[in-house]
Amino acid sequence: VKARAKKSTVRLAGYSRSKRRFRIGYIFAALLFLAIILWNVATPNPRWIEENYSRGFYQTITSILVPITNSVPFSISAILVILIPVLCFIWTVISFRRHHFLRWLWRTILLAGSLYAVFTFNWGVNYQRESIETQLDLPTDTFAETELQTLVTTLSEIIQNNVDAERDVARAQTSLRTSLIETVETITGVTPTLPTWVKVLPPGTLIRAGNASGMISPFTLEPHIDGALSEVYSLPVGTHELAHIAGYAREADTDFVAALAGLNTNDTYARYATALKLWNDAVAQLPALERAEAVAALPQRARDDLAATYEPFLRYQLPAWIQNVQSSLYNRYLTSQGVEAGIQDYSRTTTLLLAAQRNGLF
Ligand SMILES: [Zn+2]
């Protein structure tokens, strides 16, 4: 009797251990999907997200993750982008053989759900924070064409005054980063944890991948730029990517925060590079004749710098139909994150600058 009792205890222990593992898996899955559904059904209001996530929890994440991913000179996310599909393929082949189809499907859904949850809570929630107009109490009405002309003139003056500045790229990067930290501090009262600067990917990588100049990884919080960018253009793009890491997700808001940082830096080369990029965005909104006049009035060296900005995009551009697929996918992504304007959100930067000009922010 004694021996038989012992045997059944052992069997029971083994049975309950596998049952416990089984239960933990289901509890994890239930909590994960509950969190995702709850988040999408009852997204908190922007004010709540601003105070508790963007200025709170997200800052804690960056203070831990950024020093780690910034400590290596290469891109961890680039390695993961190559490695993960390979591992997923191997895992699919192995688990598909070993398990029933339904269990394999279930685990795949679980993996995709986990990735989505990490993306959202590690960075993506920032899409739902307060708009920069609300944060800075900027006017949202329409602007007169004279205001646009004033903006173009102001930017032209910065370009003319600084086009022959000494071009020390390392000093410009440091000053842009410092100015960005100060800008975010002024707006939010929070000191962001930023990487030293961006990581540079092989020339053409991002341009070919989606006609992009820079990109951050929401998982590792690493900012990247394409290695083909001209030195002058790499400065405002680098600042833009750093602003994403500071917790700005929407393109116009990010671009605007980076612009304020660049216009308020005391490094002349950084100011020049920022003004040239913003000037180029702003003149696109002018009527054709005035645009031509503005271009003609630009110093020759600035016109050369603009040509150098476009050159890599021409060199690495993909056939038009691929670019169309890419931009429609990206547009769908932006719309899914609540950015109603999609890619159009980029041209909002000039409107935001007009508002900032009226409020004397630079
Ligand atoms: Zn961006």
Side-chain angles (χ1 to χ4, degrees):
V1 175
K2 227 178 178 180
R4 207 188 292 164
K6 206 177 175 185
K7 212 173 178 183
S8 84
T9 318
V10 169
R11 208 178 57 209
L12 264 172
Y15 171 70
S16 67
R17 195 163 40 235
S18 76
K19 202 173 180 187
R20 206 184 309 136
R21 254 181 66 191
F22 175 76
R23 272 207 195 126
I24 288 170
Y26 275 97
I27 291 170
F28 169 76
L31 286 176
L32 177 72
F33 287 111
L34 196 71
I36 293 173
I37 291 166
L38 210 68
W39 182 260
N40 283 286
V41 171
T43 314
N45 64 60
R47 181 76 267 204
W48 190 92
I49 290 174
E50 185 67 39
E51 278 180 358
N52 297 285
Y53 181 83
S54 299
R55 298 183 190 185
F57 182 64
Y58 176 72
Q59 298 301 329
T60 311
I61 298 176
T62 51
S63 70
I64 298 165
L65 200 51
V66 169
I68 297 171
T69 51
N70 185 50
S71 66
V72 292
F74 54 88
S75 168
I76 297 168
S77 39
I79 294 170
L80 291 178
V81 162
I82 299 166
L83 218 64
I84 284 176
V86 175
L87 291 177
C88 274
F89 179 74
I90 295 171
W91 175 77
T92 303
V93 171
I94 293 171
S95 68
F96 199 81
R97 267 201 208 143
R98 272 180 34 201
H99 306 294
H100 294 297
F101 172 72
L102 279 179
R103 189 178 282 186
W104 170 86
L105 187 71
W106 169 243
R107 290 190 174 176
T108 306
I109 292 171
L110 212 60
L111 185 73
S114 306
L115 282 177
Y116 175 78
V118 173
F119 160 78
T120 303
F121 297 110
N122 208 45
W123 184 77
V125 173
N126 284 315
Y127 275 109
Q128 267 80 39
R129 77 186 291 182
E130 274 183 343
S131 71
I132 198 72
E133 286 97 329
T134 310
Q135 289 182 31
L136 279 171
D137 203 14
L138 294 174
T140 49
D141 45 343
T142 50
F143 297 92
E145 205 185 296
T146 49
E147 286 178 288
L148 179 61
Q149 283 158 349
T150 308
L151 177 67
V152 171
T153 309
T154 307
L155 295 171
S156 300
E157 278 165 12
I158 300 175
I159 294 168
Q160 261 147 17
N161 295 338
N162 300 296
V163 66
D164 293 318
E166 191 201 338
R167 299 194 169 193
D168 184 335
V169 72
R171 199 176 62 195
Q173 290 168 350
T174 309
S175 100
L176 284 167
R177 181 181 176 273
T178 309
S179 182
L180 181 63
I181 292 174
E182 286 166 1
T183 306
V184 175
E185 266 174 357
T186 311
I187 301 171
T188 65
V190 161
T191 310
T193 311
L194 294 183
T196 329
W197 188 245
V198 295
K199 293 182 179 180
V200 181
L201 295 178
T205 322
L206 292 173
I207 298 177
R208 282 205 178 110
N211 216 20
S213 7
M215 184 181 250
I216 69 143
S217 160
F219 299 100
T220 63
L221 298 180
E222 291 173 289
H224 309 93
I225 59 165
D226 194 300
L229 299 190
S230 72
E231 187 186 281
V232 171
Y233 190 52
S234 75
L235 292 171
V237 174
T239 318
H240 174 105
E241 301 310 319
L242 287 188
H244 275 313
I245 303 296
Y248 288 90
R250 289 163 185 252
E251 286 311 325
D253 298 39
T254 311
D255 224 19
F256 176 71
V257 171
L260 276 190
L263 291 175
N264 289 321
T265 166
N266 42 30
D267 183 86
T268 46
Y269 184 30
R271 260 168 77 77
Y272 166 77
T274 307
L276 191 66
K277 186 250 173 213
L278 297 173
W279 177 92
N280 202 29
D281 293 342
V283 290
Q285 314 281 324
L286 282 176
L289 194 70
E290 287 172 51
R291 197 188 315 148
E293 281 171 8
V295 174
L298 216 59
Q300 184 57 47
R301 197 172 181 195
R303 268 184 277 164
D304 293 344
D305 286 329
L306 275 181
T309 298
Y310 288 117
E311 193 274 331
F313 291 89
L314 300 172
R315 189 173 0 140
Y316 293 103
Q317 76 179 340
L318 290 173
W321 69 270
I322 300 181
Q323 285 186 43
N324 289 341
V325 171
Q326 285 170 338
S327 61
S328 95
L329 283 177
Y330 185 50
N331 210 26
R332 208 169 294 166
Y333 160 74
L334 286 177
T335 321
S336 79
Q337 296 303 317
V339 183
E340 292 86 5
I343 289 173
Q344 291 282 305
D345 202 42
Y346 278 91
S347 62
R348 234 183 79 229
T349 310
T350 304
T351 314
L352 287 169
L353 274 182
L354 289 169
Q357 173 179 261
R358 205 187 267 176
N359 283 14
L361 288 177
F362 59 88

